[in-house]
Amino acid sequence: MQNTDDTPLPPGPFTRQQAEAVAALYCNITIEDDQGSHFRLVIRDRDSQLIWRAWNFEANAGEWLNRYLLSHGIPQH
């Protein structure tokens, strides 16, 4: 299912394909704790300090990640 608004992730759980697409858009977003079927998408600041992270299966994972992407995402150049 494709997201139709201007947020990179759906408001709830997200797929690996969606996570990889977001990680490709931002230089401070990574996939961590990869356990195959589930993983965390992580946002860090310029000093590599944790800003936010969420497991891909969490109920509101995309909603919170989208909020932090808007305020702390560093786009790729």
Side-chain angles (χ1 to χ4, degrees):
M1 181 164 79
Q2 187 173 4
N3 198 7
T4 57
D5 60 20
D6 61 351
T7 57
L9 292 167
F14 51 86
T15 67
R16 179 173 301 276
Q17 183 180 9
Q18 291 167 321
E20 289 172 349
V22 170
L25 294 174
Y26 295 90
C27 59
N28 62 328
I29 308 299
T30 58
I31 294 173
E32 297 182 5
D33 300 322
D34 193 341
Q35 298 180 22
S37 63
H38 54 280
F39 53 89
R40 286 183 175 164
L41 199 56
V42 179
I43 303 173
R44 296 185 181 275
D45 66 13
R46 292 184 190 277
D47 298 321
S48 297
Q49 297 297 310
L50 178 67
I51 294 173
W52 192 257
R53 66 181 174 201
W55 288 101
N56 65 304
F57 56 82
E58 290 179 31
N60 295 326
E63 178 181 347
W64 286 101
L65 284 163
N66 285 330
R67 290 181 187 197
Y68 284 101
L69 283 170
L70 288 173
S71 61
H72 293 83
I74 303 171
Q76 296 281 7
H77 295 288

